[in-house]
Amino acid sequence: MTAAPTVLDALRSPRLLRIEVLAGLVTALALIPEALSFSILAGVDPAVGLFACFTTSVTIAFLGGRPAMISGAAGAVALVIAPVVREHGMDYFLATVLLAGVFQVLLGLGGAARLMRFIPRSVMVGFVNALALLIFSAQVPHLVDVPWAVYPLVAVGIVVIVLLPRLTSVVPSPLVAIVVLTGFVAATGLHLPTVGDEGALPDGLPSFVLPDVPLTWETFRIIAPYAVAVALVGMLESLLTAKLVDDITDTRSDKTRETVGQGGANLVTGLLGGICGCAMIGQTMINVKAAGARTRISTFLTGVFVLLLVVVFGDFVASMPMAALVAVMVMVSVMTFDWHSLATLHRMPRSETTVMLTTAVVTVATHNLAIGVIAGVLVAMVLFARRVAHLTETHRELVEDEHGPVAVYRVTGELFFASSNDLYTQFDYAGDPDRVRIDLSRSHIWDASTVAALDGITTKYERRGTSVEITGLNEASAERHERLSGSLPSH
């Protein structure tokens, strides 16, 4: 891991500070139309989503555990919380945002972020590739049934983003593309789809608000399921995005702090009348990968610029052609996709490929990154259990001792629910002598299913008058076997 520049490093270096400021500006410009569309998706006023981008980014800049990551009103969260405002109204909506923030703080303090270690690399690759496809597919509606001039403008924007960094990196190429295309459209008077067509921009500041809901068990019963879902989806997307940024920057983030910080940001946002949010993956890629930001300054300024742009420079922002932002997001999707994963596809184990494709396909089909990741993890668990189960072997040997013949079964491998189910069938109950010894010195008992299987084997032998001795148990296996044996239903 390399040492990332700190806020003080950026403040002391004009070059680093310029990168952070310009990254915040270009990210804010790309964030506004997303916030407008997600507000519409959630069924709330556009100001609710835009103010959420301001409050969440500014708050997470101080509380979050991943510098340079951008948070705001995200699509997956908007999908989850949309039924609340539709069925119960805005006050219950804000109450849900606040409760989701509380749940995220509790999840963070409870160590839920440590579960990230159980997400395999193949799931992460599928997640990244699905993200790239979703970012690209979100641009398709802006390229259908539009004036012909949109297409050359998008092409010019892509050319600027690709070629400008080869000439200079003083200004982020996405920002140059936005300014150039906006200026061209204004100068030529072309009538093209603009940011203002996505929704009305607010002209005032957010204000403190408390949801007017009864503090009763009935209210909690209504909002709690949505709040739990929002908390989990937001936490998962944020931690996955943090891990992605860790890989890109070769630095390490504090996942627990990030989870608590996201909860704190949602509490602040709810009290200021905003929609709940989480990490914005596409905008984070713009900030980190396209613009080169590395510190909390860019995250903080993204929120500040969103507020300034919509409140002070709303007319200019509303006139920006969507073609410019489409060009930016198309290049973000290209940069986000893990092209190396396609080149190595034929060399990967079939199980790894299955997990990656499952994650990507489910994510794209549901348009929900959290559901796709959960599906990928479940498939990975099943395939891993299946693979490990087949690594268990049983070898039979007939030996003589001072008491006569004894059948010795030496079991090798990890014994748990998947492998122990086959263990029951590995014994020659009819052909064995009166004594059987099961040697588990090269095994480990992991769960109650294995203890039940051993009980079933012992019971079946005893019905035939055969005595069974289990030997070689390590300390943990012996403790588990002694505690559970005889108290579980067997075969």
Side-chain angles (χ1 to χ4, degrees):
M1 292 286 177
T2 59
T6 64
V7 171
L8 287 178
D9 292 335
L11 292 175
R12 291 168 181 163
S13 168
R15 182 184 66 83
L16 291 178
L17 186 58
R18 184 193 71 246
I19 292 173
E20 297 295 315
V21 172
L22 294 177
L25 178 57
V26 70
T27 305
L29 289 169
L31 190 56
I32 291 170
E34 294 269 314
L36 289 171
S37 61
F38 292 150
S39 297
I40 296 169
L41 179 64
V44 297
D45 188 272
V48 175
L50 290 167
F51 288 153
C53 291
F54 160 65
T55 56
T56 305
S57 288
V58 169
T59 306
I60 208 68
F62 293 97
L63 301 182
R66 175 63 261 178
M69 193 165 78
I70 306 299
S71 294
V77 174
L79 281 171
V80 173
I81 202 171
V84 179
V85 69
R86 186 171 60 246
E87 297 173 12
H88 303 285
M90 196 63 192
D91 285 310
Y92 280 85
F93 175 89
L94 294 177
T96 304
V97 174
L98 293 173
L99 186 59
V102 172
F103 285 154
Q104 282 183 323
V105 171
L106 294 176
L107 285 168
L109 296 177
R114 289 194 290 269
L115 296 175
M116 280 295 295
R117 71 183 69 177
F118 297 110
I119 297 182
R121 178 188 175 279
S122 51
V123 171
M124 279 300 300
V125 173
F127 164 79
V128 169
N129 290 343
L131 163 64
L133 294 174
L134 286 178
I135 293 174
F136 182 83
S137 65
Q139 312 316 308
V140 173
H142 301 297
L143 298 172
V144 177
D145 293 330
V146 293
W148 67 269
V150 167
Y151 304 109
L153 282 179
V154 171
V156 170
I158 291 174
V159 169
V160 170
I161 295 169
V162 172
L163 297 183
L164 184 64
R166 301 181 183 181
L167 303 176
T168 178
S169 58
V170 174
V171 182
S173 57
L175 179 59
V176 174
I178 291 171
V179 172
V180 167
L181 295 186
T182 302
F184 177 79
V185 171
T188 57
L190 290 171
H191 295 288
L192 301 176
T194 63
V195 171
D197 297 331
E198 299 296 304
L201 300 179
D203 54 7
L205 298 174
S207 57
F208 179 81
V209 59
L210 281 175
D212 183 16
V213 296
L215 299 178
T216 62
W217 173 255
E218 179 63 18
T219 299
F220 181 82
R221 187 190 64 79
I222 291 171
I223 66 175
Y226 297 103
V228 169
V230 166
L232 292 175
V233 169
M235 181 188 75
L236 185 58
E237 286 213 28
S238 298
L239 295 183
L240 287 170
T241 306
K243 190 173 187 305
L244 185 59
V245 177
D246 290 351
D247 294 340
I248 293 171
T249 61
D250 196 25
T251 57
R252 188 172 296 161
S253 60
D254 186 336
K255 306 297 191 302
T256 296
R257 179 178 173 180
E258 182 61 36
T259 304
V260 174
Q262 289 290 339
N266 279 328
L267 287 171
V268 172
T269 298
L271 291 174
L272 291 174
I275 187 175
C276 47
C278 65
M280 300 284 288
I281 305 172
Q283 280 65 32
T284 298
M285 291 299 100
I286 293 175
N287 193 50
V288 173
K289 209 163 186 179
R294 291 294 182 269
T295 76
R296 299 175 185 274
I297 295 175
S298 60
T299 305
F300 175 81
L301 289 179
T302 294
V304 172
F305 281 136
V306 166
L307 188 66
L308 286 175
L309 287 169
V310 299
V311 174
V312 180
F313 302 102
D315 291 340
F316 168 76
V317 173
S319 67
M320 285 169 42
M322 285 301 300
L325 297 172
V326 168
V328 172
M329 297 309 291
V330 166
M331 287 309 303
V332 167
S333 70
V334 171
M335 289 186 290
T336 301
F337 196 90
D338 187 351
W339 298 101
H340 181 68
S341 66
L342 295 182
T344 59
L345 201 59
H346 65 285
R347 296 201 300 266
M348 296 294 290
R350 189 174 298 176
S351 59
E352 301 267 333
T353 303
T354 301
V355 171
M356 184 191 74
L357 291 177
T358 299
T359 305
V361 170
V362 173
T363 300
V364 172
T366 62
H367 283 243
N368 191 315
L369 292 163
I371 294 176
V373 169
I374 291 171
V377 170
L378 290 175
V379 171
M381 289 170 58
V382 171
L383 293 176
F384 175 75
R386 183 168 175 260
R387 188 163 61 246
V388 172
H390 292 305
L391 296 178
T392 304
E393 296 180 351
T394 304
H395 298 282
R396 179 182 182 273
E397 182 181 2
L398 193 62
V399 299
E400 291 278 345
D401 61 14
E402 65 273 17
H403 302 293
V406 55
V408 179
Y409 288 87
R410 291 184 174 86
V411 182
T412 304
E414 304 301 316
L415 297 175
F416 63 110
F417 61 91
S419 58
S420 60
N421 286 334
D422 294 333
L423 185 65
Y424 188 80
T425 64
Q426 303 301 309
F427 294 81
D428 185 4
Y429 299 98
D432 282 337
D434 292 340
R435 292 186 301 135
V436 169
R437 184 182 305 141
I438 303 175
D439 182 3
L440 298 180
S441 57
R442 297 180 180 179
S443 301
H444 184 93
I445 296 176
W446 286 104
D447 60 8
S449 296
T450 303
V451 177
L454 291 172
D455 284 352
I457 294 166
T458 303
T459 300
K460 190 164 183 177
Y461 271 121
E462 288 175 347
R463 287 176 185 155
R464 295 177 172 270
T466 302
S467 65
V468 178
E469 179 188 10
I470 298 176
T471 64
L473 291 171
N474 60 37
E475 184 178 349
S477 298
E479 187 277 331
R480 185 171 289 113
H481 184 265
E482 182 180 354
R483 176 162 48 89
L484 298 176
S485 182
S487 61
L488 301 169
S490 59
H491 288 276

